[in-house]
Amino acid sequence: MTDPEIDRRCRVLREEVRDFLREEIRSGAITPQCDAWLTGFDPAFTRRLARRGWMGMTWPKAYGGHERSQLERFVVIEELLAAGAPTAAHHTNDRQVGPMILRCGTEQQKQTVVAGIARGECVVAIGLSEPDTGSDLASVRTRASRIDGGWRISGSKIWTSYAHHAQYLIALCRTGESREQRHVGLTQFIIRLPDPRVRIRPIKLLTGGHHFNQVFLDDVEVSDDDVLGEVGGAWAQISAELALERSGPERFLSTFPLLSHVAGAAGASSGEEMLCAIGELTSQLWSLRSMSMDVARMLEAGRSTNAEAAMVKDLGTRFEGDVPERLRAFIAAQPTAASADPAQVLLAQAILQSPGYTLRGGANEILRGIVARDLGLR
Amino acid sequence: MSSDTMLVDTLARLLEAKSRPADVQAAEQEDGWHATLWRELDALGLADIDNFDPEHGLVDQLAVLQLLGRHAASVPFVESVMIGQWLCRQAGLDAMPGIVIVVPLDPSGGVSAAKAGDAWQLAGTAAKVPFARAGNRLLILASGPDGPVVASVDPSDCSLARSANMAGEPRDTVRLDGLRLPASSVCPLPDGVTVAALWERGALGRAAMMAGALQRALELSLQYAKDRKQFGRPIGAFQAVQQNLAILAAEVTATRAMVDLAGRVQGGRHQRAAVASAKARAGRAAGIAARIAHQIHGAMGFTGEYPLQLFTRRLWSWRDEFGSDRDWARVLGALAAAEGPGGLWPMITAAGDR
């Protein structure tokens, strides 16, 4: 079960990442934040990680990867998350865009997009949701129609994070006619940005921050070379990524910087209630990490883990929201992002981002439906 | 004995046949524990710590305990194998045949030992001693004039009052009224063995049993949701029921993952923190799981004849034994705080990664 060589490499790597992050924080290059994997967009930091070989770690060297194990990648990802490092400029690209293109993309797509992500120089936005399509992803209406030598795409995508910084947009489109079989006839396209027929409208968050956009596709023309994977095969391509997307450590570490800060400031003289709260949250976190690693190992062994991954995300994202709710009693002030006290800032971040935890990557109610299916209830 | 699946399979078959709900209920009505089942476990070699490979010993014991919990087996495995015989071994006492029960198993226990010439005299009372009535030998932990001592006592020399936890399992009161013992029956508690360490082993053992009982509560609830029809369809077809079953399943999985991890990190620097985390996690899950499982079962679930109650009464009892989830959360919080700024994450990642 244990490979001592991989264990040793993981330990060495973990210390390297920790040393690097300590120096980044000490020098003021980065500041720990809650939810930084989605809201901390810092391309310079992403390039520094790429130079150290911490992007595309498991990918083939031919496309800029480093051919390391999934466990080593897990170590780097969780260390970045635990430190609250700003990884939003690459997190989803490293997690799912690169692996998807490597699995079903063309040689040309691998040479340009995958290699660009590995260098930390390429941002790809993912266009799945639409104004009328959220949890029910198979209901997408953006349409791609055949034209000579390519496709013409019309429709609109919404909640598209970082489309305004992206060099590419991957758009899920309907290419088939079937109304009965909603899961067939879906195709993904890689659209180069900027494009005069792609209009990007910012959608500000309740924090005032900006990563969401609505993207309007007005007769955008792409070539056959821009199809990602099979025409009509997008549903299977997307589903394959979901277990990995759902069970990763970003589903329970988004508010860890707050818990870490409060635990680090506590001591023997702290009140019993505070120690109990820290202990309860630590116990939940520890078990989630153990579950998440179990899923990673099952995936590596080629086993199906849809239900287990959904459980990690359901429990983990509720835990992310519990952290500020449970700890606010011990932070003696009204939280504000403008404070000089890091506890207040982290608490404000954790609260203001909290509506997203249980929604992104599939609403928890939908995920429980996946678990229920696995339990034989539907 | 290695952690191979053969042992687990053999034990699972035995429990399927011999620890059915009716057997558990009969045991509760009679002696409060299942002596015939214990003899079967003994015949398999499972009642003796020496049959567990020291390398994988605790991991194997936790696998056994998860199965015992899944079948609500009323036997003193935690008490005799994980704690009693382990203490014998650590204290360098001769291995004792049969069931060895440590008294009191409570860090605040109240038995004192006084020197009386060459002999010793023990006095005091210990309440809620698990399976005291089943013991062939009691190891009394007492505070002596020069520190804690352990005394080997024949149960017939004590007065024993029967009592039980909410699941009807033996939690007896042992009273010692100036019992005189020869010096050969008393020795100092060895270095490195503390009551807290015994208590910690008990907490880990109960957490493993809870993982098994949680699993069974989930299985029963699933089966009931598939079988029971209302409004013309199985109640499991309703989304509201499905959502609750998914939450229940996640609690079961989280508890098992934490118990497994705590077993793997035994001997490491964060052993105590991991046990605290496992017992706290199991205790949290117990409350959530019992509420959901009973809600799904409706009135049937809280009748005496339906088996769910055998597992939920155990979960409600076990979560407070060997320290409650709150007690262990406080321990874990203090251990986390003691790691200092930035120390929580290294604690969680230090060990247990297979």
Side-chain angles (χ1 to χ4, degrees):
Chain A
M1 207 183 285
T2 304
D3 180 339
E5 174 54 22
I6 287 198
D7 277 1
R8 191 194 61 78
R9 289 217 305 263
C10 284
R11 269 198 305 277
V12 171
L13 177 61
R14 195 182 289 283
E15 288 312 313
E16 281 174 24
V17 180
R18 282 182 186 167
D19 288 345
F20 166 78
L21 288 170
R22 250 192 304 274
E23 180 53 28
E24 288 275 315
I25 292 167
R26 193 203 56 76
S27 70
I30 64 169
T31 303
Q33 301 170 55
C34 288
D35 214 29
W37 67 272
L38 190 60
T39 57
F41 191 88
D42 184 343
F45 180 70
T46 290
R47 284 193 296 276
R48 291 200 290 281
L49 290 179
R51 279 201 292 278
R52 292 190 170 248
W54 294 337
M55 299 276 284
M57 287 180 69
T58 62
W59 305 348
K61 289 181 178 168
Y63 308 113
H66 302 280
E67 300 183 3
R68 301 183 79 162
S69 65
Q70 288 291 348
L71 283 175
E72 287 167 289
R73 175 178 180 272
F74 192 101
V75 165
V76 172
I77 300 298
E78 70 172 358
E79 288 298 324
L80 291 167
L81 288 162
T87 55
H90 70 271
H91 188 92
T92 51
N93 290 328
D94 179 77
R95 179 182 71 193
Q96 64 198 91
V97 173
M100 177 150 65
I101 296 177
L102 283 170
R103 215 182 48 252
C104 54
T106 64
E107 182 60 25
Q108 172 69 18
Q109 290 163 351
K110 292 176 194 174
Q111 294 287 358
T112 52
V113 185
V114 174
I117 294 171
R119 285 194 306 273
E121 292 170 357
C122 178
V123 175
V124 182
I126 304 172
L128 296 173
S129 298
E130 295 181 2
D132 292 324
T133 293
S135 295
D136 180 12
L137 197 54
S139 69
V140 293
R141 286 198 279 190
T142 294
R143 171 157 290 282
S145 313
R146 263 275 172 221
I147 56 171
D148 192 24
W151 302 78
R152 181 179 293 132
I153 300 172
S154 291
S156 166
K157 294 291 173 184
I158 199 166
W159 322 127
T160 317
S161 294
Y162 297 112
H164 55 301
H165 289 309
Q167 285 81 47
Y168 299 93
L169 169 73
I170 298 182
L172 176 66
C173 304
R174 188 158 291 287
T175 47
E177 295 302 329
S178 172
R179 291 212 168 276
E180 294 75 38
Q181 294 171 284
R182 303 183 318 139
H183 298 83
V184 300
L186 295 171
T187 306
Q188 286 182 294
F189 296 89
I190 302 180
I191 300 171
R192 255 173 295 264
L193 298 177
D195 182 307
R197 296 178 180 230
V198 176
R199 197 156 46 86
I200 297 169
R201 182 179 73 85
I203 302 173
K204 291 286 174 67
L205 299 169
L206 56 77
T207 56
H210 172 210
H211 65 79
F212 276 159
N213 299 281
Q214 184 166 7
V215 179
F216 299 93
L217 304 162
D218 301 322
D219 291 335
V220 180
E221 293 187 3
V222 296
S223 77
D224 281 329
D225 295 339
D226 297 321
V227 172
L228 174 55
E230 297 289 317
V231 172
W235 190 257
Q237 292 166 206
I238 294 170
S239 301
E241 299 303 326
L242 289 181
L244 212 52
E245 184 195 331
R246 285 180 184 141
S247 64
E250 67 272 50
R251 302 307 181 186
F252 52 87
L253 286 174
S254 300
T255 56
F256 180 75
L258 173 63
L259 175 57
S260 176
H261 183 88
V262 172
S269 61
S270 298
E272 174 168 326
E273 287 301 327
M274 183 169 171
L275 293 176
C276 283
I278 293 168
E280 276 172 32
L281 293 169
T282 299
S283 164
Q284 292 177 55
L285 170 66
W286 210 342
S287 48
L288 278 160
R289 179 173 182 271
S290 185
M291 285 172 82
S292 174
M293 296 200 71
D294 286 345
V295 174
R297 275 187 293 270
M298 286 162 74
L299 284 170
E300 189 132 338
R303 287 164 58 194
S304 164
T305 59
N306 281 342
E308 288 81 0
M311 286 183 207
V312 171
K313 185 178 177 304
D314 180 26
L315 270 182
T317 56
R318 283 189 281 135
F319 164 77
E320 289 178 334
D322 286 347
V323 170
E325 288 303 303
R326 197 77 176 79
L327 296 181
R328 55 189 272 270
F330 312 106
I331 295 170
Q334 297 159 28
T336 164
S339 172
D341 171 10
Q344 286 188 49
V345 175
L346 290 166
L347 179 59
Q349 289 167 347
I351 291 170
L352 292 171
Q353 301 294 345
S354 65
Y357 307 149
T358 50
L359 289 171
R360 58 199 184 197
N364 286 37
E365 289 76 5
I366 302 297
L367 296 167
R368 287 181 212 139
I370 292 168
V371 176
R373 182 170 296 120
D374 188 71
L375 294 172
L377 294 168
R378 50 193 298 192
Chain B
M1 199 174 289
S2 68
S3 57
D4 56 326
T5 52
M6 224 170 69
L7 159 70
V8 171
D9 287 349
T10 308
L11 178 60
R13 273 198 304 278
L14 172 70
L15 293 169
E16 289 287 348
K18 301 286 171 66
S19 189
R20 297 161 302 176
D23 301 317
V24 177
Q25 277 164 327
E28 183 180 341
Q29 296 306 317
E30 290 158 22
D31 277 338
W33 73 289
H34 204 157
T36 53
L37 178 64
W38 183 254
R39 281 194 290 277
E40 303 252 14
L41 294 175
D42 197 12
L44 283 177
L46 292 173
D48 185 348
I49 194 172
D50 289 332
N51 290 332
F52 288 91
D53 169 6
E55 277 289 303
H56 300 103
L58 209 47
V59 172
D60 283 352
Q61 289 171 49
L62 296 182
V64 168
L65 281 165
Q66 292 197 36
L67 271 176
L68 294 175
R70 189 172 168 277
H71 292 273
S74 291
V75 290
F77 186 93
V78 167
E79 291 76 7
S80 184
V81 180
M82 264 186 100
I83 296 175
Q85 296 177 10
W86 184 79
L87 177 59
C88 283
R89 203 183 243 190
Q90 298 299 312
L93 302 172
D94 290 337
M96 295 174 188
I99 295 172
V100 183
I101 301 291
V102 176
V103 182
L105 254 183
D106 181 333
S108 61
V111 179
S112 58
K115 269 275 177 61
D118 281 347
W120 288 81
Q121 197 159 23
L122 298 185
T125 302
K128 297 186 178 169
V129 179
F131 296 98
R133 76 188 67 161
N136 302 106
R137 176 63 45 180
L138 302 183
L139 292 181
I140 312 284
L141 296 178
S143 50
D146 305 315
V149 297
V150 51
S152 175
V153 170
D154 188 326
S156 59
D157 291 337
C158 312
S159 86
L160 192 143
R162 291 187 166 216
S163 186
N165 66 8
M166 288 189 286
E169 295 180 313
R171 300 295 183 261
D172 302 324
T173 299
V174 176
R175 212 172 69 236
L176 298 140
D177 297 318
L179 173 66
R180 287 180 72 86
L181 291 172
S184 59
S185 296
V186 179
C187 68
L189 199 60
D191 285 344
V193 179
T194 59
V195 179
L198 297 170
W199 186 253
E200 189 182 306
R201 291 175 72 80
L204 180 57
R206 279 291 186 276
M209 295 169 78
M210 291 173 78
L214 286 163
Q215 175 66 32
R216 187 63 169 274
L218 170 64
E219 290 165 11
L220 287 167
S221 301
L222 274 175
Q223 196 58 53
Y224 192 82
K226 289 172 188 175
D227 293 344
R228 172 74 172 165
K229 291 194 173 64
Q230 288 289 276
F231 305 102
R233 48 183 174 156
I235 60 170
F238 292 94
Q239 287 201 1
V241 175
Q242 292 175 1
Q243 296 274 307
N244 276 326
L245 280 166
I247 292 170
L248 172 52
E251 292 294 318
V252 176
T253 307
T255 300
R256 193 170 47 226
M258 192 61 233
V259 167
D260 288 348
L261 188 137
R264 291 199 301 275
V265 304
Q266 290 302 301
R269 185 164 90 80
H270 297 296
Q271 160 185 324
R272 185 168 173 79
V275 170
S277 184
K279 189 64 166 59
R281 190 64 189 84
R284 175 183 169 86
I288 297 169
R291 181 171 51 75
I292 292 175
H294 277 295
Q295 188 69 17
I296 285 166
H297 278 85
M300 178 58 80
F302 57 99
T303 61
E305 65 183 286
Y306 189 84
L308 178 63
Q309 54 95 3
L310 299 174
F311 301 92
T312 51
R313 279 194 295 141
R314 278 169 174 74
L315 288 169
W316 285 322
S317 298
W318 293 346
R319 66 180 175 179
D320 283 323
E321 295 180 355
F322 296 105
S324 68
D325 29 319
R326 184 182 162 83
D327 295 336
W328 284 111
R330 189 179 53 235
V331 169
L332 180 56
L335 289 169
E339 294 293 309
L344 176 57
W345 182 246
M347 179 178 98
I348 285 174
T349 52
D353 296 353
R354 283 170 292 188

